[in-house]
Amino acid sequence: MTGSTIQNPTDTLDRPLRDLRISVTDRCNFRCGYCMPREIFGKGYQFLRQDQLLSFEEITRLVRLFAGFGVRKLRLTGGEPLLRREITSLIEMLAGVDGIDDIAMTTNASLLTRERTQALLDAGLGRLNISLDALDPAVHARINEVDTPLDAVLDGIDNALGEGFSSVKINMVVQKGINEGEIIPMVERFRHSGAILRFIEFMDVGNHNQWSLDQVFTANEIIRLIDARYPVEPVEANYHGEVARRWRFRDGGGEVGVISSISQPFCRDCSRARLSAIGELYTCLFATAGHDFRDLLRSGASDAQIAQRIDSLWRARDDRYSEERLQGLGRPRQKGGSVKVEMSYIGG
Ligand code: SAM
Ligand code: SF4
Ligand code: SF4
């Protein structure tokens, strides 16, 4: 039995498996307070060793099996995916997998030189999402807690826009009291730029970012603020399950998106699985436990055995953490009641 002979499963809430996010490293050259705060991820923090990471061959084998279950879209993330050596080789290998028709990457863009950008495109990367939370260098430095100049990120964005990617999106996490003042400058910079700016509500991922509901600048607040300066109107979703709600500038200046996982969760359409850098499968961003595939891979399991495991895990999936959080009237609950996985470990 191979993955392709198993009928594509749906989970207990009738959701298919369509997207796979793959974390290729737990390391990062930034220390964003909402993701890898320096107090925890600073000196002395034990990052994974190279031999603990899935190899490119192991990732590709899993992707081939996932494609047999209906996965069409891949996103490479981390940590910072551009820190993984030879990442373009992985992209080439994944681009050759039958059924995979879309490979994207989420990056902080600080390492996105012109040569690197060209190599990623040539290898088969189709889309880039770049994280940028502020244009004011002082605010940027305060959020990312590194000395990397803002210009390195802005150059990376320019390089991405100069290549032929099918889409370049800029992701801005908005934290109340920290960077809501950057929303309008970001809108002004990226209107008419060819990049789509997307605002992400600050989420209670991981265990160290001191999240509280009153730090969330909500989707409605974001859109109200933008609309007062640059009037916008809603746009239909591109496809079923699109996580960002889309808004178009009435004057033809392009569009923005808002990812409102806190105030308007979208678990009902969530068709994403996540693979950690050490080969654990997570069926929700807020899960407390992953399911190990590295041992299976390294203990000589057959494709059929691995496919069976994917099938049974997806069929048993009942995750809807963000909806449950909302129903709890803002009191965050942790699925399973213990420590959640870190965002840098399984990727955004
Ligand atoms: N290092 C890459 C980057 O920053 O683009 C990829 C990994 S990062 C974990 C993926 C995405 O998660 C980024 O867009 C980041 O802004 C987002 N993210 C991390 N922590 C978050 C949080 N607490 N709330 C909302 N988004 C978060
Ligand atoms: Fe690094 Fe991305 Fe996390 Fe920032 S959000 S610390 S850039 S992994
Ligand atoms: Fe999907 Fe979990 Fe996020 Fe809901 S909370 S949208 S199930 S990842």
Side-chain angles (χ1 to χ4, degrees):
M1 184 172 59
T2 68
S4 56
T5 60
I6 296 176
Q7 205 190 3
N8 289 350
T10 50
D11 68 9
T12 61
L13 301 172
D14 208 25
R15 297 168 296 188
L17 172 54
R18 290 274 175 268
D19 304 357
L20 184 64
R21 299 196 168 192
I22 305 169
S23 172
V24 292
T25 177
D26 64 333
R27 291 168 196 259
C28 188
N29 54 341
F30 281 17
R31 287 291 175 273
C32 308
Y34 52 67
C35 177
M36 297 178 75
R38 195 174 281 288
E39 312 86 81
I40 306 292
F41 294 88
K43 247 193 161 98
Y45 183 82
Q46 279 296 310
F47 288 99
L48 296 167
R49 298 185 315 269
Q50 183 72 21
D51 64 306
Q52 293 177 295
L53 304 179
L54 286 192
S55 68
F56 290 173
E57 288 71 23
E58 288 169 330
I59 294 174
T60 307
R61 181 176 175 205
L62 282 181
V63 164
R64 197 162 36 74
L65 294 171
F66 273 96
F69 286 95
V71 166
R72 297 290 165 260
K73 293 164 67 169
L74 303 176
R75 174 170 298 281
L76 302 180
T77 174
E80 175 46 48
L82 294 176
L83 287 180
R84 180 82 189 250
R85 259 174 291 161
E86 309 290 341
I87 187 78
T88 47
S89 305
L90 175 64
I91 295 169
E92 273 168 18
M93 291 163 75
L94 298 177
V97 174
D98 270 356
I100 298 301
D101 53 26
D102 180 22
I103 307 179
M105 177 184 282
T106 306
T107 171
N108 65 32
S110 61
L111 303 167
L112 211 50
T113 59
R114 192 172 303 159
E115 298 70 38
R116 200 99 194 265
T117 315
Q118 173 80 59
L120 292 171
L121 185 74
D122 292 347
L125 191 72
R127 298 185 297 120
L128 266 173
N129 284 7
I130 296 176
S131 306
L132 174 65
D133 301 324
L135 287 169
D136 179 321
V139 181
H140 180 259
R142 195 169 135 217
I143 295 172
N144 302 312
E145 293 203 33
V146 282
D147 299 330
T148 309
L150 174 63
D151 280 345
V153 177
L154 296 176
D155 287 350
I157 293 175
D158 285 346
N159 292 334
L161 285 170
E163 295 291 346
F165 290 104
S166 59
S167 105
V168 175
K169 292 180 181 149
I170 312 296
N171 288 345
M172 172 178 179
V173 176
V174 187
Q175 290 175 273
K176 197 172 258 179
I178 307 272
N179 65 338
E180 72 263 42
E182 293 292 305
I183 292 174
I184 294 297
M186 289 280 284
V187 164
E188 288 172 343
R189 176 157 186 130
F190 292 108
R191 268 162 53 87
H192 301 289
S193 72
I196 296 181
L197 179 58
R198 304 193 314 168
F199 301 95
I200 305 179
E201 289 179 344
F202 175 36
M203 294 188 286
D204 51 333
V205 283
N207 308 282
H208 304 298
N209 65 13
Q210 314 289 333
W211 184 89
S212 72
L213 191 57
D214 55 17
Q215 289 167 282
V216 179
F217 200 74
T218 65
N220 284 345
E221 290 175 297
I222 293 167
I223 290 302
R224 256 201 313 273
L225 185 79
I226 297 173
D227 188 52
R229 185 76 70 91
Y230 298 101
V232 287
E233 60 192 6
V235 187
E236 283 295 301
N238 269 326
Y239 53 88
H240 186 71
E242 188 172 33
V243 295
R245 294 186 188 215
R246 300 168 60 206
W247 297 81
R248 166 169 56 214
F249 294 107
R250 288 178 190 269
D251 67 1
E255 62 177 75
V256 292
V258 189
I259 301 176
S260 51
S261 30
I262 302 294
S263 65
Q264 297 152 3
F266 35 80
C267 301
R268 205 173 315 122
D269 295 325
C270 181
S271 56
R272 274 178 301 282
R274 294 176 157 83
L275 189 62
S276 76
I278 60 164
E280 295 161 323
L281 188 72
Y282 286 85
T283 54
C284 178
L285 183 55
F286 299 92
T288 50
H291 307 275
D292 183 28
F293 277 75
R294 190 183 60 185
D295 258 8
L296 263 184
L297 288 164
R298 294 186 182 176
S299 64
S302 66
D303 282 359
Q305 287 168 321
I306 298 174
Q308 192 60 60
R309 179 121 168 91
I310 298 172
D311 187 67
S312 58
L313 284 174
W314 194 262
R315 284 183 199 278
R317 177 184 189 241
D318 63 357
D319 303 281
R320 46 187 291 274
Y321 175 88
S322 288
E323 285 181 357
E324 289 169 354
R325 180 208 302 109
L326 192 71
Q327 285 159 6
L329 298 174
R331 283 187 306 269
R333 284 203 288 133
Q334 290 179 184
K335 193 175 165 53
S338 61
V339 176
K340 287 181 286 186
V341 64
E342 292 302 320
M343 185 79 142
S344 57
Y345 196 71
I346 54 169

